[in-house]
């Protein structure tokens, strides 16, 4: 019964460590599922990421208040000229630049010196009369909201028609005022029709213009 196994070689004089060295030399097999993938897969992933970053960088525009706009020039050309700003907005800007120092932020003017534009029928009445006032100015006595003023309102002839229509529209629709938009053409026509250099007097304005446009004539 005490047979020696076949593979036992009595002449083998190596020590136990030497005989088992082969076992320790073998690298451990990686665990299933944790084997590294094929190299081409890494190349594909890397290339995809590179393309992704490139794409985002190229087509997402810039860091700006209009980040979605790529190549502004091309976009603008395809969109045509910039749409005109609404007159009210144009006018608000002009008012702040040119009028606010006298007629004030609240449109109430300065008691005894600069007349109010709020609730003034000169403002909300006949737009042609308002255009005439803005283009050529006024001096001498003028009654506004029941009070008499006697100062000089400069002429604004040098402003563009669009700016004038804007400011007229703005003052007709601020501080509780509510009246029609004044069209740019109203100023174009007024310049053609009225040939004068001197500022108006209240009397001249009353002779030349009706306080209101005839009803139905929306100008
Ligand atoms: C230097 C001060 C001054 C500036 C700037 C000025 N105004 Fe006047 N404005 C006056 C005075 C003063 C009168 C009254 C004139 C008079 O007494 O004859 C007046 C009168 C008016 C009137 C008619 C009266 C009324 O109160 O309704 C209107 C409308 C008007 N201004 C609009 C404007 C607008 C719009 C601007 C800006 C584009 C402007 N003014 C800038 C001083 C000014």
């Amino acid at each position: 019964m005490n047979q020696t196994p076949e593979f036992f070689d009595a002449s083998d004089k190596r020590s136990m460590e030497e005989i088992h060295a082969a076992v320790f030399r073998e690298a451990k097999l990686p665990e299933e599922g944790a084997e590294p993938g094929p190299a081409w897969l890494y190349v594909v992933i890397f290339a995809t990421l590179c393309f992704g970053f490139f794409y985002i960088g190229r087509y997402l525009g810039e860091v700006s208040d209009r980040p979605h706009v790529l190549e502004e020039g091309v976009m603008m050309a395809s969109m045509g000229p910039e749409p005109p700003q609404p007159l009210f907005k144009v006018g608000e800007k002009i008012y702040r630049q040119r009028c606010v120092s006298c007629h004030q932020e609240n449109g109430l003017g300065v008691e005894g010196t600069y007349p109010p534009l709020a609730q003034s029928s000169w403002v909300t009445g006949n737009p042609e009369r308002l255009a005439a006032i803005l283009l050529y100015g006024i001096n001498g006595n003028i009654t506004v909201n029941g009070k008499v003023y006697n100062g000089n309102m400069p002429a604004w002839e040098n402003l563009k028609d669009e700016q004038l229509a804007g400011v007229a529209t703005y003052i007709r629709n601020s501080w509780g005022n509510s009246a029609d938009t004044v069209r740019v053409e109203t100023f174009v026509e007024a310049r053609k029709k009225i040939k004068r250099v001197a500022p108006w007097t209240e009397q001249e304005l009353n002779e030349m213009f009706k306080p209101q446009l005839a009803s139905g004539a929306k100008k």
Side-chain angles (χ1 to χ4, degrees):
M1 276 320 265
N2 200 7
Q3 263 190 337
T4 314
E6 259 171 56
F7 55 81
F8 186 73
D9 178 2
S11 66
D12 193 342
K13 290 286 177 281
R14 289 176 302 163
S15 71
M16 194 66 91
E17 280 82 10
E18 280 172 311
I19 292 168
H20 288 91
V23 176
F24 295 112
R25 224 173 27 237
E26 291 299 329
K28 226 177 109 196
L29 280 178
E31 273 175 43
E32 192 153 293
E35 307 92 339
W40 64 262
L41 184 64
Y42 292 106
V43 173
V44 169
I45 292 172
F46 182 70
T48 309
L49 284 176
C50 286
F51 175 74
F53 285 124
F54 159 77
Y55 191 89
I56 290 172
R58 180 72 178 78
Y59 293 107
L60 238 63
E62 294 178 14
V63 180
S64 76
D65 55 347
R66 301 166 72 198
H68 56 285
V69 176
L70 165 73
E71 287 165 4
E72 197 120 338
V74 178
M75 282 288 280
M76 294 319 245
S78 68
M79 281 174 5
E82 242 187 273
Q85 280 198 47
L87 282 179
F88 185 91
K89 277 263 157 225
V90 173
E92 185 173 23
K93 198 168 150 210
I94 297 292
Y95 188 82
R96 283 178 205 289
Q97 288 171 352
R98 311 292 183 124
C99 323
V100 87
S101 55
C102 295
H103 294 288
Q104 307 299 303
E105 188 83 41
N106 58 12
L108 293 178
V110 175
E111 178 96 56
T113 312
Y114 302 121
L117 302 182
Q119 276 74 58
S120 161
S121 56
W122 297 103
V123 173
T124 55
N126 186 344
E128 287 175 1
R129 186 180 63 178
L130 177 60
I133 292 174
L134 295 185
L135 279 171
Y136 304 103
I138 333 169
N139 57 32
N141 286 352
I142 181 170
T143 306
V144 185
N145 295 349
K147 293 206 177 104
V148 180
Y149 295 81
N150 187 353
N152 290 303
M153 158 78 171
W156 298 103
E157 229 183 328
N158 294 336
L159 293 182
K160 293 190 197 125
D161 292 323
E162 195 210 359
Q163 295 175 319
L164 288 166
V167 80
T169 298
Y170 176 76
I171 63 178
R172 277 159 79 87
N173 291 286
S174 298
W175 321 292
N177 289 354
S178 169
D180 295 349
T181 297
V182 181
R183 297 176 314 136
V184 175
E185 294 77 53
T186 304
F187 283 89
V188 177
E189 283 159 24
R191 282 188 208 264
K192 275 193 222 146
K193 218 153 66 178
I194 308 162
K195 297 270 175 249
R196 65 181 292 129
V197 274
W200 302 95
T201 62
E202 183 179 30
Q203 197 191 344
E204 285 173 325
L205 286 171
N206 285 337
E207 282 163 12
M208 184 143 173
F209 298 96
K210 297 197 184 79
Q212 301 289 335
L213 268 188
S215 64
K218 278 214 165 181
K219 281 261 173 162

